[in-house]
Amino acid sequence: MSDDIGQPVLDDHLHLDPERGRGMDAVDDFARLGGTHLLVVNKPSWHLGVEADDPDDFRAAFETTLDVVADASDRLEGRAWPVLGVHPGLVSRLVDDRGFDPAEARELMAGGLEVAAEYVADGRALALKSGRPHYEVADAVWDASNAVMRRAFELGADHDCAVQLHTEASEDLREVAAWADDAGLEPHRVVKHYAAGRLAGPTPSVMCDKDDLLTACAAGEPFLMETDFVDDPDRPGAVMGPKTVPRRVRWLREEGHAEAVRGAHVDTPERVYGIDTVGTLG
């Protein structure tokens, strides 16, 4: 149960692997520490055994995520929502390992996003996930990745949903926000996952490093909180564990940042995703 009645605690971005990872044990850890709501992003498709050749091949990864979200919701005081999409790192796997040219990779990945958007359209998913590599790539791969991301913005606008991004580390993504705006998607509905405490352009989903959270609180701008828990037994400690967001929420309240906490777990989720974290408690 949450440590303050009626106070939601949302992890904006984590992964759950029901086969190889901790799965529901991780959800139980989150809930025991006071966590109430989760946004569960499908793991990279190849981590779930999907080597896509056709956009419809991504459905297996999406369906796995829907199943784990349903199980997670049964264990939470609030609920979980799925965020579906194509991890931008797939472009390197396709081009470097599987012999796709960048244009073919772009077409397949954009097609996968279109399949994900079908789940948003029928209410089974909340938002889309896209982005571009956070590491150096050839110009043709970079251009293809940006084209895929811009397609995600078009789909977000078409289906009135937010788009979470995996990108390079940056404190200035105003150009990316402008691309979303050009596509008809309000820039605040673009979420930079794995963000630091300061970001121009999209809404930052701040990793729960204490210094980054204090920076975000001091900035006074809307932000979300996440762990990017990867649920991978081969990468223990790779990012943050599922208990981290509830612990940081408690710490921020103790430090006098209750207003910022409410923003991150009530006001900003409603503004970005259209979700009611208070009304879905209990």
Side-chain angles (χ1 to χ4, degrees):
M1 299 290 286
S2 60
D3 57 340
D4 290 281
I5 299 300
Q7 296 294 315
V9 174
L10 167 73
D11 189 332
D12 182 62
H13 184 111
L14 88 166
H15 308 277
L16 294 171
D17 189 331
E19 298 296 329
R20 297 179 62 252
R22 296 191 62 223
M24 292 305 105
D25 287 343
V27 176
D28 290 343
D29 281 351
F30 173 74
R32 274 194 296 269
L33 269 289
T36 61
H37 294 79
L38 295 170
L39 263 60
V40 181
V41 184
N42 62 270
K43 294 189 75 171
S45 50
W46 63 98
H47 288 180
L48 294 174
V50 176
E51 295 289 0
D53 291 297
D54 182 272
D56 273 336
D57 293 341
F58 291 101
R59 291 187 192 276
F62 300 158
E63 293 290 343
T64 295
T65 305
L66 295 184
D67 289 344
V68 77
V69 164
D71 290 343
S73 288
D74 288 341
R75 301 168 107 87
L76 294 170
E77 184 181 348
R79 60 163 295 181
W81 290 272
V83 177
L84 303 181
V86 178
H87 193 284
L90 178 62
V91 70
S92 296
R93 190 171 183 87
L94 294 173
V95 172
D96 296 343
D97 299 339
R98 298 187 57 202
F100 282 63
D101 67 38
E104 291 169 333
R106 180 196 68 222
E107 184 176 356
L108 177 61
M109 294 171 70
L113 284 168
E114 290 161 9
V115 172
E118 295 176 17
Y119 290 81
V120 174
D122 66 18
R124 287 186 290 166
L126 177 68
L128 297 173
K129 159 72 180 294
S130 185
R132 62 191 183 193
H134 64 274
Y135 46 87
E136 188 171 347
V137 293
D139 289 347
V141 172
W142 184 253
D143 292 343
S145 299
N146 280 324
V148 172
M149 182 167 58
R150 294 181 80 150
R151 180 59 179 144
F153 296 152
E154 293 171 353
L155 292 166
D158 289 345
H159 297 285
D160 190 28
C161 74
V163 177
Q164 284 199 12
L165 296 182
H166 174 115
T167 75
E168 72 279 8
S170 177
E171 292 187 352
D172 188 349
L173 290 175
R174 285 176 291 183
E175 180 183 43
V176 169
W179 292 347
D181 200 27
D182 289 344
L185 181 65
E186 294 176 290
H188 73 266
R189 304 198 75 192
V190 178
V191 176
K192 162 66 168 123
H193 129 75
Y194 211 104
R198 185 180 295 108
L199 179 66
T203 298
S205 184
V206 179
M207 287 291 287
C208 283
D209 173 85
K210 288 185 175 182
D211 288 341
D212 284 338
L213 289 173
L214 290 176
T215 298
C217 290
E221 298 295 331
F223 70 94
L224 298 152
M225 293 171 61
E226 69 165 82
T227 58
D228 190 28
F229 175 64
V230 296
D231 204 10
D232 185 343
D234 295 332
R235 299 175 62 199
V239 283
M240 295 180 172
K243 299 177 183 179
T244 310
V245 168
R247 284 173 169 165
R248 294 294 188 263
V249 163
R250 186 175 297 114
W251 172 75
L252 284 172
R253 288 173 179 153
E254 292 169 352
E255 293 294 310
H257 296 292
E259 183 176 350
V261 167
R262 179 175 175 85
H265 299 272
V266 178
D267 302 330
T268 301
E270 181 174 11
R271 182 169 182 258
V272 172
Y273 300 108
I275 57 178
D276 180 1
T277 55
V278 173
T280 49
L281 281 174

